[in-house]
Amino acid sequence: MKDCVFCSILEGKIPSQRYYEDERFIVIKDIEPKAKLHYLAIPKKHYKLLSEMNDSDRDDLGHIMSTISQIAPKLGLDGGYRLVINQGDDAGQTVFHLHIHILGGQKMDFPEL
Ligand code: 5GP
Ligand code: ZN
């Protein structure tokens, strides 16, 4: 997708270290970390929004979620982690290519969540 920062990262036009990669998604570090460890899991297929996914696309999300739990120790997340998806303006989504925030490396500041 033209003018999409995550598509540019996926295409290698913007260099980034990949902490994990398979045929469906990559894991990189967030450029502006909001926790001691802040990764982004980015599907290789450009979904603008979570709400854009259809039933078969949801396999991608299931695969990403279960793989994150398998690779968490390698990412330094043995103590636990929080997954966040921002959907749309009210949630503060700024990059319109679906991604899952993986936050950890510390106790989270929002225990009410
Ligand atoms: P959103 O607010 O859409 O849920 O999250 C977008 C995230 O992408 C933000 O946390 C932001 O810091 C991160 N981000 C934006 N541009 C880049 C980039 O070029 N590289 C990386 N690694 N992260 C980015
Ligand atoms: Zn994209």
Side-chain angles (χ1 to χ4, degrees), residues 25-56:
F25 77 110
I26 62 169
V27 175
I28 62 170
K29 278 204 168 151
D30 197 291
I31 204 168
E32 283 179 41
K34 283 87 181 172
K36 259 192 188 151
L37 291 174
H38 185 172
Y39 299 95
L40 300 170
I42 305 174
K44 290 190 172 178
K45 187 168 168 189
H46 178 97
Y47 304 103
K48 193 169 147 206
L49 294 155
L50 181 66
S51 56
E52 207 177 70
M53 301 183 102
N54 62 33
D55 279 347
S56 62

Side-chain angles (χ1 to χ4, degrees), residues 2 4 14 18 20 24 26 33 38 45 48-49 57-59 61 65 83-85 87 91-92 111:
K2 213 169 150 271
C4 169
I14 299 175
R18 297 181 183 200
Y20 176 80
R24 297 207 210 187
I26 62 169
H38 185 172
K45 187 168 168 189
K48 193 169 147 206
L49 294 155
D57 293 334
R58 290 196 183 103
D59 285 351
L61 207 51
M65 300 288 247
L83 304 181
V84 173
I85 295 175
Q87 155 76 28

